Amino acid sequence: MLVVSDVVVSDEVQAAVADRRPVVALESTIIAHGLPRPRNLQVAGELEEAVRAEGAVPATIAVLDGRPHVGLDKEQLERVANEDGIRKLGHRDLALAVAAGASGATTVSATALLAARAGVRVFATGGLGGVHREWTVTQDESADLGLLARTRITVVCAGVKSILDVAATLQRLETLGVAVAGYGTDRFPGFYLTDSGHPVDWTLRTPGEVAAVMRAQDAVGGPESALLVANPVPEAEQLDPALHARVLAEALEACAEGGITGQAVTPFLLDQLVRRTEGASLSANLAAVRGNVRLAGRIAAAWVER
């Protein structure tokens, strides 16, 4: 294995990067915190296999005993899935975790940072964080946005969670200079939903077109910002829009009646969505992640074709 300034890169990922073979970074938060055991480990394996099926090498990222790892073996993946006390790490937490010798699963921002450090250009995830509701009161915004504004990586995602302020998130991405393109659509997806109700200015239709934009980013220069490829969950696999609208409206009403404000709003809404859709939101979540992983594998393959 290769150690790059205290980032441990697995032999397989190291060789693939060196040989210009396709690699896809995967976050580990969905494994440690997004799914119940033992389904989490099963899904982790499925996602890595989906990357391999597209001819790419999976690079699941996590911090173990204070060492950031890009690419996990079977034992390490099992640790992330099954070990109690695995923390949730954003990029701001990495130095603290390293100094403390802690273990943690990486969020979008930490995964993107460590992937870029290891020379991995393509990253697949479910949905991004964004600007939260009541932003004018709380100033609550995901760290994902700022990190992506200064990290050259291509992120395949299903937009942002529809419980966030989607319009404000798109505006914030524009302000930060982060490029956003819909994949095969001119609408911005809403994670659980195929269409968040908001448009995007650019549409890319093939992995080759995405790779061409990535090359153009390098040629044009400027800030080292990300490219977001917004890949909608298929309509047949999305959360029923009417159910989503009803549950979200009722949950927002419950927030108002219960005096739930500020940073407590988002976790409350997420919990209500999972509980009151009887798992349908989780199914849509996994459908989105699987689709993004497959697309990321194809984009990574197109990227290394020079």
Side-chain angles (χ1 to χ4, degrees):
M1 69 183 63
L2 175 70
V3 179
V4 183
S5 299
D6 292 327
V7 177
V8 181
V9 184
S10 73
D11 291 340
E12 184 182 25
V13 172
Q14 174 195 352
V17 171
D19 296 342
R20 287 199 55 77
R21 289 185 284 116
V23 182
V24 175
L26 302 171
E27 65 167 286
S28 49
T29 296
I30 188 173
I31 305 169
H33 301 286
L35 295 167
R37 299 171 185 168
R39 191 177 185 190
N40 58 344
L41 183 59
Q42 178 188 354
V43 169
E46 288 175 4
L47 297 181
E48 290 205 344
E49 284 305 311
V51 171
R52 294 189 190 280
E54 299 298 336
V57 171
T60 303
I61 296 177
V63 177
L64 297 172
D65 304 318
R67 301 295 298 277
H69 288 258
V70 177
L72 303 181
D73 61 27
K74 183 181 177 182
E75 236 177 62
Q76 291 167 335
L77 206 58
E78 289 175 352
R79 277 193 65 185
V80 173
N82 297 323
E83 191 172 291
D84 293 331
I86 293 284
R87 300 180 69 116
K88 184 176 181 180
L89 305 177
H91 72 279
R92 70 167 190 169
D93 304 305
L94 290 175
L96 293 159
V98 167
S103 297
T106 52
T107 65
V108 166
S109 66
T111 303
L113 176 61
L114 293 172
R117 285 280 306 281
V120 178
R121 187 64 180 266
V122 181
F123 166 31
T125 186
L128 296 183
V131 176
H132 292 230
R133 293 172 184 265
E134 300 183 351
W135 184 89
T136 54
V137 176
T138 65
Q139 303 286 290
D140 191 2
E141 172 188 312
S142 171
D144 295 353
L145 305 186
L147 188 282
L148 294 175
R150 53 185 186 273
T151 305
R152 182 55 53 82
I153 194 163
T154 295
V155 183
V156 183
C157 64
V160 299
K161 290 184 175 67
S162 47
I163 62 167
L164 301 175
D165 189 330
V166 179
T169 300
L170 286 168
Q171 181 60 57
R172 185 67 176 137
L173 287 166
E174 180 181 349
T175 300
L176 290 169
V178 178
V180 179
Y183 191 79
T185 181
D186 60 0
R187 308 296 295 175
F188 191 66
F191 190 49
Y192 306 110
L193 304 176
T194 302
D195 183 355
S196 70
H198 299 276
V200 290
D201 294 328
W202 296 93
T203 302
L204 300 172
R205 300 190 181 279
T206 66
E209 288 184 3
V210 177
V213 175
M214 294 164 65
R215 296 185 187 107
Q217 281 183 310
D218 293 344
V220 169
E224 291 286 301
S225 56
L227 168 64
L228 301 187
V229 179
N231 182 40
V233 63
E235 285 190 17
E237 297 181 284
Q238 71 174 337
L239 181 61
D240 176 52
L243 174 62
H244 173 275
R246 177 175 59 78
V247 170
L248 182 57
E250 291 172 354
L252 288 169
E253 186 178 339
C255 276
E257 292 175 353
I260 299 170
T261 60
Q263 294 185 352
V265 171
T266 296
F268 177 81
L269 295 179
L270 281 173
D271 179 68
Q272 289 292 299
L273 205 58
V274 170
R275 291 173 182 273
R276 300 178 68 176
T277 63
E278 298 181 345
S281 64
L282 180 58
S283 296
N285 178 343
L286 291 175
V289 173
R290 291 186 181 105
N292 295 341
V293 166
R294 291 191 293 267
L295 176 58
R298 296 194 289 271
I299 291 170
W303 164 243
V304 300
E305 291 177 0
R306 296 280 181 155

